[in-house]
Amino acid sequence: MRAGDRVYEALREEIVAGRLRPGTELSEVDQAERWGVSRTPVREALSRLRADGLAVVGRGRTLAVSDIQAADVVRLFELREALETQAARLAARRCRPEVFSALAHRFATVTPPRPGDPTDPHGPGYYGLVAELDAAVDEATDSPYLRSALAALRTHVARARRLAADNPERLRAAAGEHRLIAEAIADRDEVLAVHATAVHLRLALANVLTSLEAAR
C-alpha cells in the first residue's frame, strides 16, 4: 500500500471510530512524525479527508477533524432514508430470497452487545451481522451507482453512530427491525421492505440525536 493510502486509511478509521475527536488538529508535521513518512503522503491523505468531509480548515490553516452537529445528522439521515429505502425496494425486487431468509433467522437469535463494553464478545458478531445485511442489500440492488453513493454515505453514518451512545433497549429493538427488513426482502415485499427500512432509520436518528443532546 502506498504511504499516502496507508495514512489516509489509518486516519479515516480513527476519525470514524471516534478516536480522533471533532476539533483535533491534523498537523502535517505531527502526522508525518507519527506515521514515519514524509509530509507529501500526509498532505495527500489530509486532502482526501477534507474531500470526504472528515476534516476542515481550522486555526492557522491547519486542518482539524470536522464536527458533527445535530443539524448535520438530520441532513445525513434525510439522504440515508432516500437511498436506503430505494436499495431495500430494489433488493426485494431482485434478491435471492434464501440469502435474506438466512439473515433474518440470524437476527432472530443474535445477542446485542453491552453498550460501552469493547470487551463484550457479542459486539463483533452483532455489528458484523449488520454489515452483512448492508452488503447483501447492496449486492441485491444490482446497481453500481447506488452502491457507490451508499458507500460514501456510510462513512459519515458510522461516525455519527460511534459518537452516539447506544442503549440495550435500542440495540435489541434494532435487531428486530433488521430482522423485519430481511424478512420483507426475502418475501419480495417491496412496500414492507421500504416501510421497515424507513421506520428503522427514523428510530436510529432519534437515538443519535438524543445521545448527542445528552453529551452536550
Side-chain angles (χ1 to χ4, degrees), residues 153-199:
L153 179 69
R154 284 179 181 143
T155 295
H156 298 280
V157 169
R159 187 179 176 215
R161 187 168 57 235
R162 297 287 177 85
L163 288 175
D166 280 319
N167 58 71
E169 292 78 13
R170 177 62 206 143
L171 288 174
R172 283 193 293 270
E177 293 156 19
H178 284 120
R179 177 186 179 183
L180 180 57
I181 292 168
E183 288 175 341
I185 293 174
D187 292 340
R188 298 188 182 279
D189 188 333
E190 295 182 28
V191 174
L192 181 56
V194 168
H195 179 71
T197 299
V199 169

Side-chain angles (χ1 to χ4, degrees), residues 2-43:
R2 295 171 54 249
D5 293 336
R6 177 167 58 86
V7 174
Y8 166 75
E9 292 292 344
L11 289 175
R12 177 181 175 277
E13 170 59 25
E14 289 186 328
I15 293 171
V16 170
R19 293 192 293 275
L20 287 177
R21 305 293 294 179
T24 301
E25 291 192 357
L26 300 170
S27 162
E28 285 185 15
V29 174
D30 292 345
Q31 296 302 321
E33 292 179 356
R34 181 184 179 204
W35 300 106
V37 298
S38 70
R39 292 176 63 177
T40 298
V42 170
R43 188 177 301 117

Side-chain angles (χ1 to χ4, degrees), residues 99-121:
V99 171
F100 290 90
S101 293
L103 286 167
H105 175 73
R106 291 169 64 192
F107 272 112
T109 58
V110 71
T111 300
R114 293 186 297 271
D117 183 359
T119 66
D120 189 340

Side-chain angles (χ1 to χ4, degrees), residues 17 33 65 77 94 125 131 133 185 198 208:
E33 292 179 356
V65 178
F77 270 76
R94 301 168 177 169
L133 177 59
I185 293 174
V208 172

